[in-house]
Amino acid sequence: MTTPQRVDADLGWALGRVTRAHLHTAQEVVSGLPGGPRGYQVLAAANDGEVSTQLAIARMLGVDRTVMTYLLDELEGAGLVERRPDPADRRARRIVLTAAGRERLCDLDRRLREAEERLLAPLEPAERDTLRELLRRLATGTGHDGASACQVAEEITATDGC
């Protein structure tokens, strides 16, 4: 693929192309999961255990509480999570992965890694590691604007036509 000369050195153009390719590939991987990317994020958050209540996960992901309720209904209906009373606060509900949920998350993680490797295939393994490290440093050094990963993805896909 050739690009107009002026965009070859344009960081925004390059980041946009890679981001859209990554989002498209990731969407394909999680498309069969209730809630798609948000469903994946809920499974990952519940698995990590840093935040475990329904409200805490909703806040962390920047998902409205009502939307989170419907999303959890779907994930629970698919047998991937359970809501359990929080022993510290019986009004709160802890989100716990079921065995099927852990298995599904492992499969999704494996498929997402494979998709990422295909995306990064033009780079040598050492270049991939360098790119990941540089992007991590940029991402963590840009400050926190309060946007969740879902909000960022929605903003990017909303401007996809530009």
Side-chain angles (χ1 to χ4, degrees):
M1 176 178 162
T2 60
T3 58
Q5 187 175 5
R6 65 184 170 91
V7 297
D8 283 344
D10 186 332
L11 178 63
W13 176 85
L15 288 174
R17 294 268 309 179
V18 172
T19 299
R20 284 189 296 277
H22 184 270
L23 287 172
H24 176 75
T25 302
Q27 180 63 41
E28 287 178 352
V29 170
V30 299
S31 65
L33 180 69
R38 281 189 174 156
Y40 171 78
Q41 289 177 333
V42 169
L43 294 181
N47 186 61
D48 292 344
E50 288 183 32
V51 291
S52 60
T53 66
Q54 181 171 331
L55 183 58
I57 292 173
R59 285 181 179 156
M60 181 186 79
L61 298 178
V63 176
D64 178 80
R65 292 183 329 192
T66 304
V67 173
M68 178 60 85
T69 299
Y70 289 120
L71 177 57
L72 288 171
D73 287 347
E74 291 181 35
L75 291 168
E76 195 170 33
L80 302 175
V81 299
E82 293 177 354
R83 294 179 184 131
R84 297 183 184 160
D86 185 336
D89 179 359
R90 304 233 1 122
R91 295 170 296 170
R93 297 286 175 250
R94 289 186 175 269
I95 307 307
V96 180
L97 289 183
T98 63
R102 280 189 295 282
E103 185 177 317
R104 185 77 178 266
L105 180 61
C106 287
D107 178 60
L108 289 169
D109 284 342
R110 178 189 54 76
R111 291 174 52 210
L112 285 167
R113 279 192 307 276
E114 289 170 357
E116 185 178 286
E117 288 303 311
R118 286 191 303 275
L119 178 69
L120 298 177
L123 302 177
E124 296 296 323
E127 291 174 319
R128 295 174 196 180
D129 293 341
T130 299
L131 177 64
R132 285 182 180 104
E133 173 59 19
L134 292 171
L135 288 173
R136 184 198 59 76
R137 284 178 31 207
L138 277 171
T140 58
T142 59
H144 180 64
D145 62 3
S148 72
C150 288
Q151 290 167 322
V152 171
E154 287 171 3
E155 288 174 15
I156 291 168
T157 56
T159 61
D160 198 23
C162 295

